[in-house]
Amino acid sequence: MPTAWGYALASSDGSSLFYESWGERGHATPALLCDGIGCDGYVWRRLRDELSARFCVHAHYRGHGRTAAPRDPARITIEDLADDVRDVLDDALVDRAVLLGHSMGVQVSLEVARRHPERVAGLVLICGVPSHPLRSFRGSDALESWLPSIQKWIQRAPGMINRVSRALLPTRLAYEVATRFEIRRELVQPADFMPYLEGMAHLDARLFVAMLAAAGQHSADDLLPQLTVPTLVIAAGRDGFTPAERSRAMAATIPGAELLEIPNASHTAPIEHPNLVNFTIRDFLHRRVDGGGDSGPVRASARSTES
């Protein structure tokens, strides 16, 4: 599948924003993929081919992957990232797109729908929350409480911390630790998860915690009842980062939203259960976004028994 590369110019501070595109421009609604924090595309690995019948755009956030750190270091809020999405769509010559967001990408997608509603044709919100993700991380608000201290500690020795993370993160040991705390070992192969660890290893620790703090302060709760675009929410029953109950509540608040909940999945559900996730997204886009079938919402939650 041929992939093209490009760079958009951020209207906020002139930063250069890397993006890739693939697929066919045609009758199907274009799609734009929004990553989680620290990610530059690993979670979409099993979905890319499924979307190739439509024109797709995937951008790297500021300081992530092939996008350099922002010219203005303060421009790392969810609002800034949402404006970057608008700028990438402009550069890619896409008027409207369905936004697929994973983890923090859920917040970014919702903020695009708030700030630039004319650019959003639909939403697919995967393993994420609409607000204050640090308050429910692994079932407590401990990370939110500790984050200011962590930021101060990193500011004291950023060079050393970056060197340590670059040495330790892209290793099999880090993969083994991840399987103990979150991802499903029997469903996620090292080849699927190592790109995430490699991307995290090259992310400046100061930018990461600053962006994490900004995400922790962001809320789109007030927007949810006002959304009018077709929306699909995908939740994972074993998600320790963004608990399923918060996804359920988000889906219940968005008018006409559909919900897929996968009980035996973690935060990496798109690579743990690719067949189910891909089929559900493809079916939703066909019915609700492209106008290829029944445009009415499936109001009951779809619960998978896939193990």
Side-chain angles (χ1 to χ4, degrees):
M1 178 171 48
T3 301
W5 296 347
Y7 284 89
L9 195 66
S11 55
S12 60
D13 65 350
S15 291
S16 184
L17 308 168
F18 172 85
Y19 69 93
E20 55 182 338
S21 59
W22 67 93
E24 298 293 330
R25 294 184 188 264
H27 71 279
T29 306
L32 184 137
L33 284 59
C34 296
D35 292 316
I37 187 172
C39 307
D40 56 14
Y42 90 100
V43 81
W44 310 115
R45 177 172 178 168
R46 303 294 184 88
L47 183 63
R48 289 178 65 105
D49 288 344
E50 294 289 331
L51 296 176
S52 60
R54 67 188 67 240
F55 185 70
C56 299
V57 180
H58 170 242
H60 291 181
Y61 293 139
R62 294 161 176 257
H64 289 58
R66 298 184 182 183
T67 294
R71 290 187 174 185
D72 181 351
R75 291 284 189 175
I76 45 76
T77 67
I78 299 296
E79 292 81 2
D80 292 318
L81 301 182
D83 289 345
D84 288 349
V85 168
R86 183 268 318 273
D87 295 333
V88 167
L89 289 174
D90 285 347
D91 198 82
L93 303 178
V94 174
D95 292 329
R96 283 179 92 228
V98 56
L99 304 186
L100 288 78
H102 174 255
S103 192
M104 188 186 73
V106 168
Q107 293 176 266
V108 174
S109 298
L110 289 170
E111 197 59 35
V112 177
R114 183 206 302 278
R115 296 170 72 85
H116 311 291
E118 72 284 357
R119 312 305 293 271
V120 180
L123 295 166
V124 178
L125 309 175
I126 306 170
C127 296
V129 297
S131 66
H132 309 298
L134 306 186
R135 295 180 184 175
S136 54
F137 182 83
R138 305 209 68 83
S140 81
D141 62 357
L143 181 56
E144 183 177 57
S145 300
W146 279 100
L147 189 58
S149 298
I150 294 171
Q151 287 182 279
K152 291 179 182 177
W153 182 65
I154 289 174
Q155 289 293 345
R156 292 194 183 107
M160 181 193 71
I161 292 169
N162 284 335
R163 286 192 295 272
V164 170
S165 67
R166 286 168 187 163
L168 294 181
L169 277 176
T171 64
R172 184 59 182 259
L173 174 61
Y175 166 78
E176 294 295 334
V177 171
T179 63
R180 294 292 185 93
F181 287 95
E182 182 64 24
I183 68 173
R184 302 284 307 280
R185 175 193 295 273
E186 69 275 22
L187 299 175
V188 179
Q189 299 300 315
D192 289 321
F193 197 66
M194 289 306 295
Y196 167 69
L197 296 174
E198 291 164 359
M200 280 289 295
H202 291 91
L203 186 64
D204 188 288
R206 292 166 294 185
L207 184 143
F208 176 78
V209 294
M211 193 173 284
L212 188 63
Q217 296 165 7
H218 171 263
S219 174
D221 286 338
D222 62 309
L223 174 68
L224 301 183
Q226 305 171 33
L227 288 172
T228 58
V229 296
T231 301
L232 169 67
V233 176
I234 298 178
R238 297 188 182 184
D239 191 337
F241 293 175
T242 54
E245 57 266 25
R246 296 203 61 190
S247 292
R248 285 187 222 119
M250 176 168 61
T253 307
I254 299 172
E258 300 185 17
L259 173 66
L260 168 70
E261 182 173 340
I262 312 173
N264 297 317
S266 76
H267 198 59
T268 55
I271 55 177
E272 291 175 354
H273 298 273
N275 294 335
L276 176 59
V277 170
N278 293 354
F279 172 82
T280 303
I281 292 174
R282 186 174 66 247
D283 175 69
F284 168 78
L285 295 178
H286 175 71
R287 289 185 295 105
R288 302 286 308 279
V289 178
D290 296 333
D294 178 11
S295 61
V298 175
R299 296 188 181 278
S301 299
R303 288 181 173 270
S304 164
T305 58
E306 183 178 347
S307 60

